[in-house]
Amino acid sequence: MMIFRKTAVLAASASTLAMMAGTAMAGTVTWWSPNFHAPRATELVEQFEAQHPDIDIVIEETTSDGLPQRVITALQSGSAPDIIDVQHGWIAGYAQNGLVMPLDDIINDPDDFIPAALDYVRWEGETYGLPFRAEGLAVIYNRGHFEEAGLDPDSPPQTWSELVDAALALTGDGRYGFAITGGGEVGNTIFRSLPFIWMNGGSIISDDATEATVNQPEAVEAVEFYTDMLVEHGVSPSSTLENDGTANRRLFIAEAVSMYQAGQFDLASIAQENPDIDLGVMTMPHPEGADTSAILGGWSFIVPTDANNPEEAKIFIEWMAQPENMGVYTDTFPARESAMDMERFQDPQLAPYREVLPFTQPVPTHPAWVQITQAYFDGIQRILIGQQDAQAAMDDAALDIQDLLDQY
């Protein structure tokens, strides 16, 4: 019997959710699933319970607002649920602190998973999450604007130089060719600028996490390329310092911006709010002779160390990991290659998002990663306001990052 408690959970605090989870009966699996997955979660649970009548699944909806804190509170309380949907990047921290169980025994075909997804959820040789959702950013563009500017919308820019040329051609009369982010939550700019560093052969920190590398030539060149969209070329809006991904989407919908970086989840919002826009999507342009890149985003299942019914939880997760079930549950792309054969993923507009997945990477795993990204972001902002050039800003960021690395 599937139990669905939508109204109560949406208003519940983290401690209340944890107490509710702690009262689960034997054979009952409590699953924290985000509200944006709710309709598909309900459908899948009904199917699972029909096939496994001895296991009941209790769905407790969570919301994105404040979810990281709710999860860590539950994990540390000793009264966590049996399964939680979390973002890939959160899992290493849970594993480092012994808060989640390894799940290697239920990952039956690791070669079928997107490599970066499994890399994200591994810690010291063990796999502490089962990825089910994968996504990377691409560039959404207005095909009508391309035609107006004399550009071929069927041949969007592929290289950095082509991107600049197109953005310049698209800019004018109050319209901007390529909007970057420079404000909002730090992650907005990390997800949009760090891939340019990777494409160019650079990094923020060394692979062994002992050295700040963000001021090395490859990284500085990429940072300069990104920030020059505002400070040199003027193809990003004057509000760039305040703009996050949502602001850029609104500007695109208003047709004040011709290109911007976003996930596939923006496509439906744009089509709904301005159906007159003829949408195009391309992978992020790359340096000549290099590959594109993107940070891998997405979600995984975890089983807390203090789960009441971990074995039943694993049975359910293993069932959810079957390609046909994972393909139904995910909002974007599944984390398994075989699940991408489903019809829902064959929309031509989604093709660039699928094409980028083999080139995605996880962000570095480091206890101070949040502070490291803040130091980098502060440097980006110093460039955007004209306080420093790219080299000086990244030199200062490298000093701050090195101080953080030396603490570990």
Side-chain angles (χ1 to χ4, degrees):
M1 176 183 62
M2 185 272 295
I3 305 170
F4 186 53
R5 301 175 179 166
K6 180 176 181 179
T7 305
V9 175
L10 288 175
S13 67
S15 57
T16 302
L17 290 172
M19 287 188 292
M20 292 168 68
T23 62
M25 299 176 291
T28 298
V29 172
T30 304
W31 175 24
W32 284 11
S33 173
N35 58 345
F36 47 79
H37 287 157
R40 294 181 297 280
T42 304
E43 172 190 344
L44 288 163
V45 164
E46 289 173 350
Q47 296 176 25
F48 173 82
E49 289 183 340
Q51 298 172 26
H52 301 80
D54 295 333
I55 301 176
D56 295 334
I57 307 296
V58 179
I59 301 175
E60 305 285 10
E61 284 188 26
T62 59
T63 58
S64 297
D65 185 29
L67 184 59
Q69 186 57 49
R70 291 180 182 179
V71 172
I72 195 65
T73 298
L75 293 176
Q76 293 174 339
S77 72
S79 299
D82 299 294
I83 303 169
I84 310 177
D85 292 10
V86 299
Q87 292 187 28
H88 303 317
W90 305 350
I91 293 175
Y94 306 153
Q96 290 172 32
N97 291 285
L99 299 174
V100 290
M101 296 181 180
L103 299 178
D104 298 89
D105 56 328
I106 59 171
I107 299 178
N108 299 317
D109 190 0
D111 291 339
D112 191 38
F113 283 78
I114 295 169
L118 286 180
D119 288 345
Y120 244 139
V121 299
R122 285 182 174 137
W123 175 253
E124 294 188 342
E126 294 189 288
T127 309
Y128 287 89
L130 194 149
F132 65 83
R133 170 175 162 170
E135 60 223 22
L137 297 187
V139 177
I140 297 176
Y141 65 96
N142 187 314
R143 292 172 57 87
H145 290 183
F146 268 57
E147 292 175 347
E148 292 173 14
L151 302 172
D152 183 355
D154 293 323
S155 298
Q158 298 296 307
T159 66
W160 283 6
S161 60
E162 291 173 355
L163 177 63
V164 171
D165 290 344
L168 289 168
L170 290 160
T171 300
D173 297 325
R175 180 182 294 166
Y176 294 91
F178 183 71
I180 63 171
T181 61
E185 192 269 329
V186 172
N188 282 273
T189 297
I190 298 300
F191 266 77
R192 287 161 177 81
S193 65
L194 179 53
F196 288 113
I197 294 178
W198 288 341
M199 292 178 212
N200 208 40
S203 59
I204 289 183
I205 61 175
S206 59
D207 290 343
D208 62 2
T210 61
E211 181 183 359
T213 55
V214 73
N215 63 336
Q216 297 302 305
E218 297 84 357
V220 172
E221 183 181 21
V223 167
E224 187 172 36
F225 174 78
Y226 181 82
T227 55
D228 271 356
M229 294 296 177
L230 175 69
V231 299
E232 177 66 24
H233 306 305
V235 298
S236 189
S238 56
S239 56
T240 293
L241 265 164
E242 291 79 43
N243 291 351
D244 59 8
T246 300
N248 283 347
R249 183 181 70 235
R250 289 171 179 157
L251 289 168
F252 184 87
I253 290 170
E255 301 197 51
V257 158
S258 300
M259 298 185 287
Y260 80 111
Q261 298 159 278
Q264 63 204 72
F265 32 76
D266 272 18
L267 297 174
S269 297
I270 296 167
Q272 180 178 3
E273 295 186 46
N274 190 344
D276 293 332
I277 295 178
D278 186 7
L279 284 173
V281 183
M282 60 180 165
T283 57
M284 283 201 278
H286 49 78
E288 191 77 41
D291 291 322
T292 188
S293 187
I295 293 176
L296 181 75
W299 292 71
S300 293
F301 301 116
I302 59 170
V303 177
T305 302
D306 294 323
N308 286 312
N309 296 299
E311 295 310 313
E312 291 89 345
K314 287 184 177 183
I315 291 170
F316 178 63
I317 292 174
E318 188 173 15
W319 184 86
M320 288 287 288
Q322 295 174 15
E324 62 273 19
N325 299 326
M326 184 184 291
V328 169
Y329 188 52
T330 180
D331 256 1
T332 53
F333 280 108
R336 295 188 67 165
E337 294 283 354
S338 57
M340 294 187 198
D341 294 334
M342 296 175 66
E343 184 177 354
R344 64 176 294 210
F345 305 118
Q346 307 313 309
D347 182 345
Q349 210 167 56
L350 297 179
Y353 290 105
R354 181 170 179 172
E355 291 167 8
V356 77
L357 288 175
F359 302 100
T360 57
Q361 298 183 46
V363 297
T365 300
H366 193 278
W369 181 246
V370 172
Q371 297 95 321
I372 289 169
T373 56
Q374 184 66 57
Y376 166 76
F377 177 66
D378 290 346
I380 294 288
Q381 289 206 312
R382 290 194 296 270
I383 301 167
L384 294 176
I385 64 175
Q387 182 178 336
Q388 290 181 308
D389 63 20
Q391 185 67 63
M394 292 303 102
D395 282 342
D396 285 351
L399 291 173
D400 293 337
I401 292 169
Q402 192 62 53
D403 285 343
L404 292 165
L405 296 178
D406 289 344
Q407 296 175 27
Y408 294 89

